[in-house]
Amino acid sequence: MIMKDKNVEKRVLITGGTGFIGRELCRLLPGEGFSPVVLSRGLTRGPQRGFGAAGESVKFVEWDGRSVGGWMKELDGAFAIINIAGSNIGEGRWNEGVRKKILNSRIEAGMAVLEALERVKAKPRVIIQGSALGYYAGKGDALISEGGESGGGFLAGVVKRWEKTTMDAASMGIRHVVARSGLVIGRGSLLLNRLETPMKLFFGGPLGSGRQWVSWIHLEDEARAMLYLLENDNLRGVFNLTSPVPVRNAVLMKALGRAIGRPSWFRVPAHLLRVALGEMADELILSGMRVIPSRLLAAGFEFRYPEIDTAMKRIYRAV
């Protein structure tokens, strides 16, 4: 059932809302009658940077990422909160300090959100808790749906703890949704920016064997799926946010090459990736998984960009 009550306050808080996914959410939410409130650090540097015209519809609130002070009043009486705060897992090599930052940025934010939910009088209807496919243990060609087993390793540990931070919201009568996102691709994404340069110089191609699966989703579909989960009152629990058509790494690289008019013929050996990226190479690039959005499809969500070629053409249509 889709929520259409116009008398309900439709304020939506977004933690980490100045990020890649948060900006797209802020672009879509006002068109559906929602009022985005972005909670983020460093707003003194210019909160509307990167939002374009959508920034005019957004309220920006300073937040330290770990406490409830200064923003809890925005949550009181709001319709929802989307918790996607956390440092980017692909920004740098995973040394001890980076791993600590990746974990703590998510745990501290989630704990603060839960505390705020406990303290406000008029609680939101729903919380969408960000997560990632790093949760799963599956490898190889096996299809993985939301019932897949959890894995080991650094990312799996982070994701499992991240999801648990707000789980107690359900006991407060708040609808709790976990959005396990795949590789989100769109213009300006960190990954595509890194892959474009060698591809444009005719050095682009498969990473490692190229046979590892990539479970991806176009940025627009990612934000639309979160909006769908926000509006449908009967949806709760875990949802995979990925295209229904995962592809092998070599196929993704060929699609990127076609979109920007370059061949995909230079294979990057696995050992070079490990030298350059360390542990991150194996967990993010070389060991893929074939994940499908079973529950999202069963709920009736329709993807605009289910195929990788269509998605890449959309991203690079102006190139």
Side-chain angles (χ1 to χ4, degrees), residues 202-277:
F202 296 89
F203 286 108
L207 304 178
S209 71
R211 290 189 53 77
Q212 67 273 33
W213 288 98
V214 181
S215 298
W216 62 278
I217 185 170
H218 188 284
L219 175 62
E220 194 173 326
D221 279 335
E222 168 84 0
R224 288 180 58 248
M226 284 195 177
L227 182 60
Y228 194 79
L229 294 172
L230 197 73
E231 292 184 311
N232 283 269
D233 290 335
N234 61 322
L235 302 182
R236 64 186 70 240
V238 176
F239 288 82
N240 292 335
L241 270 57
T242 64
S243 161
V245 189
V247 297
R248 295 190 188 275
N249 175 267
V251 174
L252 182 143
M253 296 304 293
K254 285 182 180 178
L256 172 60
R258 282 191 290 268
I260 63 177
R262 294 290 189 274
S264 175
W265 57 17
F266 188 86
R267 186 180 303 277
V268 182
H271 73 273
L272 290 183
L273 289 168
R274 292 187 177 104
V275 169
L277 303 174

Side-chain angles (χ1 to χ4, degrees), residues 33-303:
F34 291 100
S35 302
V37 178
V38 165
L39 309 180
S40 186
R41 300 180 180 89
L43 294 184
T44 55
R45 295 193 294 270
Q48 296 187 22
R49 183 179 180 182
F51 282 80
E56 298 176 3
S57 304
V58 180
K59 181 175 182 178
F60 296 90
V61 178
E62 184 81 26
W63 182 42
D64 63 8
R66 60 180 183 272
S67 66
V68 298
W71 65 272
M72 195 171 67
K73 62 182 179 181
E74 299 291 343
L75 184 63
D76 203 343
F79 175 76
I81 182 167
I82 300 174
N83 181 34
I84 52 176
S87 64
N88 194 307
I89 62 174
E91 279 188 332
R93 192 183 180 97
W94 291 351
N95 56 35
E96 183 178 351
V98 170
R99 283 194 292 268
K100 184 176 180 180
K101 181 180 179 182
I102 289 171
L103 176 62
N104 289 350
S105 63
R106 287 162 172 77
I107 302 305
E108 291 174 350
M111 291 176 64
V113 167
L114 184 66
E115 182 182 350
L117 291 172
E118 291 171 338
R119 292 171 60 177
V120 295
K121 293 181 179 179
K123 302 187 189 304
R125 288 189 177 190
V126 57
I127 175 172
I128 295 182
Q129 170 61 51
S131 185
L133 302 187
Y135 174 92
Y136 295 114
K139 307 294 180 186
D141 294 339
L143 288 171
I144 304 171
S145 62
E146 286 82 359
E149 294 182 1
S150 62
F154 171 66
L155 281 184
V158 169
V159 171
K160 283 183 277 190
R161 291 183 63 183
W162 192 20
E163 290 183 5
K164 287 180 180 178
T165 57
T166 59
M167 197 170 292
D168 285 348
S171 65
M172 305 176 204
I174 302 169
R175 183 165 61 92
H176 188 264
V177 179
V178 175
R180 289 183 184 152
S181 298
L183 173 65
V184 183
I185 61 171
R187 195 65 179 158
S189 69
L190 181 63
L191 175 69
L192 290 188
N193 286 344
R194 288 179 173 177
L195 295 176
E196 280 176 35
T197 300
M199 186 71 74
K200 288 178 178 179
L201 296 173
F202 296 89
F203 286 108
L207 304 178
S209 71
R211 290 189 53 77
Q212 67 273 33
W213 288 98
V214 181
S215 298
W216 62 278
I217 185 170
H218 188 284
L219 175 62
E220 194 173 326
D221 279 335
E222 168 84 0
R224 288 180 58 248
M226 284 195 177
L227 182 60
Y228 194 79
L229 294 172
L230 197 73
E231 292 184 311
N232 283 269
D233 290 335
N234 61 322
L235 302 182
R236 64 186 70 240
V238 176
F239 288 82
N240 292 335
L241 270 57
T242 64
S243 161
V245 189
V247 297
R248 295 190 188 275
N249 175 267
V251 174
L252 182 143
M253 296 304 293
K254 285 182 180 178
L256 172 60
R258 282 191 290 268
I260 63 177
R262 294 290 189 274
S264 175
W265 57 17
F266 188 86
R267 186 180 303 277
V268 182
H271 73 273
L272 290 183
L273 289 168
R274 292 187 177 104
V275 169
L277 303 174
E279 178 187 6
M280 184 167 62
D282 282 302
E283 292 213 28
L284 290 184
I285 299 172
L286 299 174
S287 58
M289 56 183 69
R290 194 182 181 193
V291 180
I292 53 174
S294 297
R295 294 196 67 207
L296 202 55
L297 292 172
F301 180 76
E302 296 182 0
F303 287 82

Side-chain angles (χ1 to χ4, degrees), residues 22-39:
R23 292 195 301 270
E24 183 67 11
L25 280 168
C26 289
R27 186 182 71 84
L28 295 182
L29 284 168
E32 298 298 320
F34 291 100
S35 302
V37 178
V38 165
L39 309 180

